[in-house]
Amino acid sequence: MTAHLKMDKPDTRNRLDHTAQGLIGAGMDRPDGKAKVTGTAAYAFEDQPEGMAHGVLVRANVAKGRLNDIDRDSVLRLPGVLAAMCGPRFLRNPAQGGANEAPVQGSEGIAYLGQPVALVVAETFEQARHAAHMLTLQIDAQEGQTDPDIAGYESPDAKQAQQGDLDRAMKDAATAIDVTYTTPSHNSAAMEPHAAIAEWDQDMLTLRGSYQMLKYNRNELADALGIDPKCVRILAPYVGGGFGSKLGIAPEAVAAALAAHELNRPVGVALTRQQVFEGTMRRSESRQRVRLAADASGKLQGIGHDAYISNLTDEVFSEPVTQATPFIYAGENRVIGHHIARVNRTCAGSVRAPGESIGVTVLENAMDELAHQTGIDPVELRLMNIPDKNPTSGLPFSSHTLAEALTTGRDRFGWDQRNPQPGSTRKGDWLIGMGMASAVRVNILSEARVRVTLMPDGTARVQTDMTDIGTGTYAILTQICAEMLGLPETDVSVSLGDTDHPPGPGSGGSWGASSVGTAAFLACEKIRRELAKKVDADEADLTLKDGMVSYANRQVRLADMIDEEIEIEGHVEPGDTSDDVTQSTYGAHFAEVAVNAVTGETRVQRMLGVFAAGRILNHKTARSQCLGGMTFGLGMALTEELMHDPRDGHIVNRDLAEYHLPVNLDVPQLDVVLLDERDAYANPLQSKGIGELGICGAAAAITNAIFNATGVRVRDYPATLDKVL
Ligand code: MOS
């Protein structure tokens, strides 16, 4: 049986508040935590079958060209080498998740330096690595274009938007800001490098891998191999971070599958850290021009946001930089511009809140420039420009918490201690400053199916191909099902990351917990109705708690009520909830920095993030997501930057030693406040996605604080010391 949602109006049942155990929202520990910290949770490359051979990918050493062949014979003579392979399928370099098919980018040939183009397989990893180094590629190099500004930008019509007359508004404005910022390419830099192990049984392929969205990944892999998706099973029970880089299947999966087929034995392919940096999705660099037209009171009359980004030829994805600009602030006159250059640089894809994380950041820098010019307090300026309906579409907001986030943050942070005069607070050699920024991220519901089975022994089993990429899916699904079925958490077992289970939405775009949680909720709700039927009661009159069912003065053990499994599949899809509202999550970032007046070094001293994302399903994992986002914001502000060699576009700093993510010593006390919110339009849980909210705008709070500390406005991220001095 299936349980399907149809929600025409806001769902105000507030159902989970009236269940008996109070598990939803509690900061439950991860049920998978013990396995992870004791090293017994098997990640993609740790569950190696008997007889597995090792494959090592070989990278293109030109930015553009055609691979004619490889010199197989030279490496097949080397010890342990089993195969050397290349061909068009290696060049089909599956990119974005959600596509269902392997995108054809690169099929014409080599599209960027570092692109995987061949595979060498050997008995051991060391033998394969050695042979990969020795392999000669026969390449016809072509002239590539690696500089977006020289390549030039296209402006696809569908991505431009205009409303009113921005030029006029800029001319008439009491204060007009017209500034251009740049942000560099970023790498997701997940802790677990990409890896896949392929094993065939006749026509059936089993792939252990590290991916975020298995339902799509299965289709993409089948498409790349030219086989039926039914013949592909992907297993990813544990994923060591993704941040966008594992949304789609990647070259190692295709290569492992092809090699395992050819050799008729299991083959594993793990990327080195350098290969991860060169060959998995980067976030595009951006140049962003922001125009703000304000009247004498500081009210915005116009906003312009033009984004210049890049990707490979034919790639559909382009960083949606301006995603939140149409609705975050008021203003009648608007221009949204989206301009894309086609370059021979590593494929650009989703990285850590694609769009808002760099788009809101730059917009929030421009807002700080406006605040400074008008002399209006930055928090006040935002408060006075919060629209009461979506200023672009005219739709109402489902719920709106930006004002509450701003005022809560202002009070908790001690914003009144900030001296608005830049460069005016000094302690010894350190210049002290405070900055803030709004946070905003769109909320998305994605199709999800979850099977919940109530077993005759009174325990429950929960199955979906949904992943847990460190985000807390195991915990959240356990909580929802335990609460709805009145079971102790330990009597609910959640099985994830297996395409044999009903397809979930995958982990991406902050939609995971709400979408998959809703499907689980619907399944449990139906199970409760089945139980009510059995005792001829009304479901609303049942109390399920601690494995007991109470109704009308009677109490029975749940296990005694059922003699056979009750199995229900919950299903939700976009369109099931109201789409005539604008749904978004909001927050506010506050940062205090100390900038060394002699060296230009910035130390972030403290940060506060206040966030609202509807009902918080697990306060511990939600807080952790926000801490992670703020930490990445710190990296974006101060250190993270992929550097492309201007000659051939290749990524020069391609490891964690040269690409600087914040480490423990860089990260100060971070405080997170989660506001109490319900969004009755979002889904029956009344929750929204929180995974990516924490990074959106975070870097701007820091660079705005640097301006307050020093009077230096860094418009070219990251704000390294040379730019601050
Ligand atoms: Mo995300 S960057 O949609 O994994």
Side-chain angles (χ1 to χ4, degrees):
M1 272 188 290
T2 60
H4 189 87
L5 179 70
K6 194 69 207 166
M7 210 173 120
D8 298 326
K9 296 189 194 59
D11 187 336
T12 51
R13 289 178 295 173
N14 242 341
R15 175 72 200 252
L16 290 165
D17 287 334
H18 304 297
T19 39
Q21 302 187 123
L23 287 175
I24 306 297
M28 178 193 162
D29 289 340
R30 297 160 191 269
D32 45 319
K34 190 173 171 193
K36 285 179 172 172
V37 299
T38 54
T40 52
Y43 285 80
F45 217 60
E46 295 179 324
D47 200 357
Q48 301 187 356
E50 271 293 298
M52 186 187 91
H54 289 263
V56 169
L57 287 165
V58 181
R59 63 199 270 279
N61 51 11
V62 299
K64 189 175 183 201
R66 183 173 293 276
L67 176 70
N68 292 324
D69 208 351
I70 53 175
D71 184 8
R72 274 180 198 78
D73 296 344
S74 64
V75 297
L76 285 171
R77 283 195 293 270
L78 295 170
V81 174
L82 301 164
M85 310 166 67
C86 69
R89 280 184 178 147
F90 283 91
L91 294 168
R92 286 166 64 101
N93 202 350
Q96 279 306 121
N100 274 324
E101 54 185 44
V104 292
Q105 66 94 354
S107 63
E108 296 277 299
I110 295 161
Y112 62 90
L113 197 149
Q115 181 180 340
V117 294
L119 181 79
V120 177
V121 188
E123 292 291 348
T124 69
F125 168 71
E126 289 75 12
Q127 290 167 334
R129 182 179 55 182
H130 175 62
H133 278 304
M134 301 302 288
L135 185 70
T136 317
L137 305 174
Q138 292 156 16
I139 288 177
D140 282 338
Q142 295 157 7
E143 191 71 27
Q145 183 50 265
T146 62
D147 183 333
D149 289 327
I150 297 173
Y153 292 88
E154 312 152 9
S155 308
D157 285 345
K159 299 208 169 196
Q160 320 303 315
Q162 198 164 335
Q163 181 181 315
D165 186 346
L166 180 62
D167 290 337
R168 171 102 241 157
M170 290 292 284
K171 274 202 207 91
D172 294 348
T175 311
I177 298 288
D178 185 348
V179 288
T180 297
Y181 281 70
T182 54
T183 65
S185 297
H186 295 135
N187 185 270
S188 292
M191 191 71 86
E192 181 199 22
H194 297 56
I197 297 173
E199 192 171 8
W200 292 83
D201 181 3
Q202 310 288 344
D203 291 340
M204 292 295 301
L205 169 65
T206 300
L207 189 100
R208 294 171 182 79
S210 189
Y211 303 104
Q212 294 176 229
M213 308 211 300
L214 300 197
K215 128 176 115 167
Y216 301 105
N217 305 143
R218 176 194 211 188
N219 294 341
E220 290 156 359
L221 183 55
D223 182 63
L225 298 171
I227 62 175
D228 189 330
K230 289 197 189 76
C231 298
V232 177
R233 181 182 187 194
I234 301 184
L235 297 172
Y238 301 107
V239 177
F243 311 114
S245 72
K246 296 169 181 171
L247 286 169
I249 57 157
E252 75 281 351
V254 184
L258 289 169
H261 196 262
E262 179 165 314
L263 295 171
N264 198 24
R265 65 187 273 194
V267 173
V269 180
L271 301 194
T272 63
R273 187 61 71 183
Q274 287 86 349
Q275 288 175 324
V276 170
F277 271 84
E278 283 190 332
T280 68
M281 301 297 115
R282 69 181 169 103
R283 186 206 302 283
S284 171
E285 75 293 319
S286 78
R287 187 169 78 240
Q288 302 179 43
R289 178 188 184 196
V290 177
R291 283 172 286 173
L292 301 173
D295 68 13
S297 70
K299 284 216 157 191
L300 286 168
Q301 305 301 313
I303 300 181
H305 197 169
D306 279 276
Y308 297 80
I309 42 127
S310 72
N311 208 344
L312 295 170
T313 305
D314 296 334
E315 271 294 316
V316 176
F317 177 86
S318 57
E319 178 86 18
V321 177
T322 57
Q323 197 153 248
T325 312
F327 66 90
I328 179 169
Y329 295 124
E332 290 303 302
N333 305 288
R334 290 165 175 271
V335 169
I336 299 285
H338 189 86
H339 316 282
I340 177 157
R342 300 297 174 182
V343 292
N344 299 104
R345 287 182 171 189
T346 298
C347 187
S350 293
V351 174
R352 307 185 210 142
E356 284 93 322
S357 65
I358 56 171
V360 173
T361 292
V362 168
L363 184 64
E364 288 300 299
N365 281 122
M367 286 294 281
D368 200 66
E369 300 214 27
L370 179 63
H372 182 68
Q373 288 242 347
T374 55
I376 299 171
D377 175 80
V379 177
E380 280 305 322
L381 179 70
R382 274 122 176 134
L383 286 171
M384 72 169 67
N385 282 297
I386 294 176
D388 48 22
K389 61 181 194 311
N390 184 322
T392 301
S393 66
L395 292 175
F397 293 107
S398 60
S399 68
H400 205 297
T401 46
L402 180 54
E404 192 185 345
L406 289 166
T407 52
T408 304
R410 175 174 66 187
D411 297 346
R412 304 249 323 208
F413 196 68
W415 184 249
D416 58 352
Q417 298 300 302
R418 172 181 180 265
N419 186 334
Q421 184 59 42
S424 55
T425 309
R426 186 168 177 146
K427 287 186 190 152
D429 281 345
W430 295 89
L431 297 161
I432 311 295
M434 289 189 199
M436 56 78 54
S438 299
V440 54
R441 176 72 170 158
V442 293
N443 184 56
I444 299 168
L445 183 82
S446 221
E447 183 173 16
R449 291 179 189 274
V450 176
R451 185 190 301 130
V452 180
T453 311
L454 187 60
M455 316 294 270
D457 66 358
T459 64
R461 191 178 65 198
V462 183
Q463 295 165 309
T464 163
D465 81 352
M466 177 64 183
T467 47
D468 186 330
I469 61 173
T471 38
T473 317
Y474 282 105
I476 288 162
L477 288 182
T478 301
Q479 285 169 282
I480 292 171
C481 296
E483 183 61 62
M484 287 294 287
L485 301 175
L487 296 174
E489 295 150 8
T490 44
D491 281 354
V492 175
S493 72
V494 175
S495 174
L496 302 177
D498 180 346
T499 53
D500 277 358
H501 294 333
S507 302
S510 300
W511 58 61
S514 289
S515 305
V516 81
T518 295
F521 169 88
L522 293 171
C524 292
E525 194 177 48
K526 184 121 181 200
I527 291 175
R528 291 173 65 108
R529 286 200 205 107
E530 294 298 313
L531 293 173
K533 251 193 258 168
K534 279 183 190 292
V535 294
D536 209 16
D538 210 18
E539 188 254 330
D541 298 332
L542 288 190
T543 301
L544 274 65
K545 188 167 188 261
D546 301 330
M548 303 297 291
V549 182
S550 316
Y551 60 99
N553 295 332
R554 301 186 52 177
Q555 200 175 45
V556 284
R557 279 184 66 227
L558 181 59
D560 293 340
M561 271 179 72
I562 37 183
D563 31 31
E564 59 182 23
E565 293 179 357
I566 306 178
E567 182 183 293
I568 309 284
E569 187 173 289
H571 179 220
V572 63
E573 60 189 333
D576 286 356
T577 55
S578 353
D579 51 10
D580 51 359
V581 286
T582 298
Q583 279 181 25
S584 183
T585 58
Y586 295 95
H589 296 281
F590 292 81
E592 183 179 308
V593 301
V595 181
N596 192 291
V598 180
T599 66
E601 175 193 8
T602 298
R603 305 296 306 185
V604 177
Q605 297 193 309
R606 59 194 180 102
M607 275 180 95
L608 166 67
V610 182
F611 304 106
R615 185 198 305 270
I616 300 302
L617 297 170
N618 180 318
H619 269 79
K620 186 183 278 184
T621 56
R623 178 173 175 275
S624 294
Q625 291 288 94
C626 296
L627 292 174
M630 291 161 72
T631 304
F632 278 141
L634 204 155
M636 190 192 298
L638 299 179
T639 57
E640 278 191 71
E641 177 175 25
L642 279 183
M643 298 189 177
H644 298 275
D645 188 317
R647 295 165 303 178
D648 53 21
H650 91 266
I651 292 165
V652 178
N653 53 339
R654 51 191 187 121
D655 59 37
L656 293 172
E658 300 289 333
Y659 180 85
H660 292 159
L661 289 156
V663 297
N664 241 356
L665 277 176
D666 299 317
V667 184
Q669 181 61 43
L670 304 179
D671 285 327
V672 172
V673 175
L674 299 170
L675 295 179
D676 209 6
E677 190 204 1
R678 298 295 156 88
D679 192 329
Y681 288 86
N683 55 58
L685 308 176
Q686 306 185 339
S687 65
K688 292 186 282 197
I690 200 166
E692 296 167 311
L693 180 59
I695 191 174
C696 300
I702 295 169
T703 46
N704 291 339
I706 292 174
F707 176 75
N708 181 243
T710 63
V712 178
R713 187 69 78 179
V714 179
R715 298 198 182 92
D716 172 33
Y717 276 98
T720 46
L721 28 158
D722 51 310
K723 298 173 193 166
V724 174
L725 270 185

